[in-house]
Amino acid sequence: MTRKTFPLTNRNLCDNFAYLTKDNKTTGDTKGFVSTQRFIDTVVALSKQLPDDKQHIINLCGNRYLFAVVLCATVLKNQVNLLPSNRNIATQKRLSERYNNTYVIHDGSETDPDLLAIDLGKEGISDIQTVNEIPEIDVNQLAAISFTSGSTGDAKPNEKSWRTFVDSTIINSHYMLPKSAETIQLLATVPAQHMWGLETSVLMALFANICVVDSKPLFPQDIQTLIEMLPAPRMMVSTPVHLRAVVGSELKFPKLETVLCATSPLTQELATQVEALFNTKMREVYGCSEIGSMAVRETAHTDIWDKFDGIHFDQQASNQILAHTEHVKESATLGDFIELLNEHQFRLKGRTDDMIDIAGKRGSLNEINKVLLSFSELIDGIVFFPPQDRPIPRLVAIVALKDGVSKKQLADHFREYLDPAFIPRPIIQVEKLPREENGKLPKQALLHFYQELIKN
């Protein structure tokens, strides 16, 4: 018999659901562990305080515990969470124009003055009472609409039902989490609004044996402090950008059960360094906003991806791959060339928009960026091919380098590995790149950043 509802969480009420790094005035909880019972009580209390005349809510909470409370409270209220890739007022305005009866819940963000905004950083959740039963949610209820990062173009909406959340998390947990009978403490450096952060640091706390840390540390010292604060077993969810900073910090870190990484290319060298630093096995995850996580590999040891059960790849006439699964309504055409090895494994062969032609020579942007990322003095950077009116177009590199390192040293590194046609000219040195909180670098943001740099 097909189930018509799923519970708000399948955790035991006595389980540790979250770890608060400081007292939370909004919920009245003190620093330390919060039980699933307390989480459910707080969710139900907030749902009763939410406006009745609203349909869509932009969830901007930066505190991961408050984000989870808001997500579940609004689902319980039968409202839809809008999960933008950034917090910009212009983005809020576009969403409110597109979706009816929209309001904002946040914990200190700048908000569109034309929208109703509830600041949980100032307004507490009142009348939190003990709930005897975990609420049930209709499996077909629309819980959220996520948006692609826009890294390859305009952001697109992706509807997520409650069934999608539950089924995908069960599959993800099987492939991503270490086998442990104990509750695993999970620290994430990525925002909960992005699908990578949502799947791992919020939904896994609802449907797997995970206790999630409320904060989103940015600097290596903060990451080290929080990991040391948590009891074992511990794990971390991150991105290549954050992990490169951690490895370059030369700090010492406690053992982690695993590190999960996604959102941008990860080199074998960095994966190997992360495994050594945390005395762990590192898993890189492949996915897209439309479908979610789809495959995993241990990048330090192999270039072969293991596809999740229930994810199907269909080869199209154009050599593109159509991905689909039972728990997501829509299929998605992937932006990567994929070499299918068998029913369960594949290799990535570059982006579909990856190939470039300069002076009659064809090359791969993906391979050129691998050369950039192999430069040991790099903090962050990208090689890209901007629109240009030149007889012979050139690649451009925008980079942040370690103190005392020159662009000439990087150019020499490029010359060692690349044909002269593919050596970036110019190399532009900056303090940091305009990455979003999830580590992604949207195409339009990169082009705008580049245009501003060359103006000056």
Side-chain angles (χ1 to χ4, degrees), residues 420-447:
F422 300 122
I423 295 174
R425 298 184 182 90
I427 296 173
I428 303 174
Q429 193 166 348
V430 297
E431 289 188 8
K432 65 178 183 177
L433 277 73
R435 293 190 183 272
E436 295 183 339
E437 288 182 292
N438 54 38
K440 292 223 173 196
L441 191 54
K443 182 178 180 180
Q444 294 305 317
L446 176 62
L447 287 175

Side-chain angles (χ1 to χ4, degrees), residues 99-341:
Y99 297 98
N100 294 328
N101 301 321
T102 296
Y103 70 114
V104 178
I105 299 183
H106 65 105
D107 54 358
S109 296
E110 189 177 4
T111 61
D112 182 352
D114 294 329
L115 292 177
L116 169 66
I118 299 174
D119 184 355
L120 291 183
K122 296 179 179 178
E123 300 180 30
I125 300 174
S126 60
D127 196 26
I128 301 176
Q129 303 290 329
T130 301
V131 176
N132 295 321
E133 293 184 356
I134 297 175
E136 294 277 333
I137 307 298
D138 187 309
V139 296
N140 296 317
Q141 180 178 323
L142 180 58
I145 302 175
S146 70
F147 296 84
T148 58
S149 65
S151 55
T152 56
D154 294 332
K156 298 177 181 177
N158 302 286
E159 296 186 351
K160 308 292 180 180
S161 69
W162 193 244
R163 179 190 293 279
T164 296
F165 277 174
V166 176
D167 289 353
S168 64
T169 307
I170 292 170
I171 296 170
N172 293 345
S173 301
H174 174 74
Y175 285 94
M176 295 188 203
L177 297 182
K179 304 298 184 267
S180 174
E182 300 178 76
T183 300
I184 302 170
Q185 329 305 320
L186 186 152
L187 176 68
T189 68
V190 291
Q193 285 81 3
H194 184 256
M195 276 305 296
W196 173 232
L198 179 67
E199 285 187 315
T200 51
S201 66
V202 177
L203 299 182
M204 280 188 179
L206 291 172
F207 303 113
N209 197 15
I210 289 294
C211 173
V212 65
V213 179
D214 64 345
S215 68
K216 181 177 68 65
L218 177 62
F219 300 108
Q221 183 67 63
D222 298 329
I223 294 172
Q224 180 198 50
T225 299
L226 288 177
I227 292 175
E228 290 177 341
M229 189 184 298
L230 301 171
R234 300 162 288 213
M235 64 177 288
M236 184 164 69
V237 173
S238 195
T239 71
V241 174
H242 293 125
L243 292 174
R244 192 176 299 114
V246 168
V247 168
S249 71
E250 300 183 355
L251 296 171
K252 303 293 183 184
F253 289 84
K255 173 179 172 57
L256 296 179
E257 294 303 308
T258 194
V259 175
L260 299 178
C261 180
T263 75
S264 59
L266 173 69
T267 63
Q268 185 180 40
E269 179 185 22
L270 179 56
T272 302
Q273 292 170 332
V274 170
E275 289 199 346
L277 183 64
F278 292 104
N279 187 23
T280 191
K281 288 290 185 184
M282 180 175 180
R283 295 174 172 93
E284 184 180 8
V285 178
Y286 176 76
C288 65
S289 296
E290 295 89 340
I291 304 295
S293 297
M294 294 183 284
V296 67
R297 70 177 178 181
E298 292 186 1
T299 309
H301 310 282
T302 183
D303 66 344
I304 296 176
W305 294 88
D306 294 315
K307 186 158 56 69
F308 295 174
D309 287 341
I311 302 291
H312 306 287
F313 286 174
D314 295 335
Q315 190 93 44
Q316 304 296 292
S318 59
N319 288 327
Q320 289 186 302
I321 295 291
L322 189 70
H324 57 97
T325 181
E326 290 183 5
H327 60 258
V328 178
K329 222 173 21 174
E330 303 293 332
S331 57
T333 300
L334 302 183
D336 298 285
F337 286 120
I338 287 177
E339 177 189 0
L340 298 175
L341 303 177

Side-chain angles (χ1 to χ4, degrees), residues 382 384 398 433-434 441-451:
I382 188 169
F384 69 110
I398 300 179
L433 277 73
L441 191 54
K443 182 178 180 180
Q444 294 305 317
L446 176 62
L447 287 175
H448 177 73
F449 186 60
Y450 167 66
Q451 289 162 356

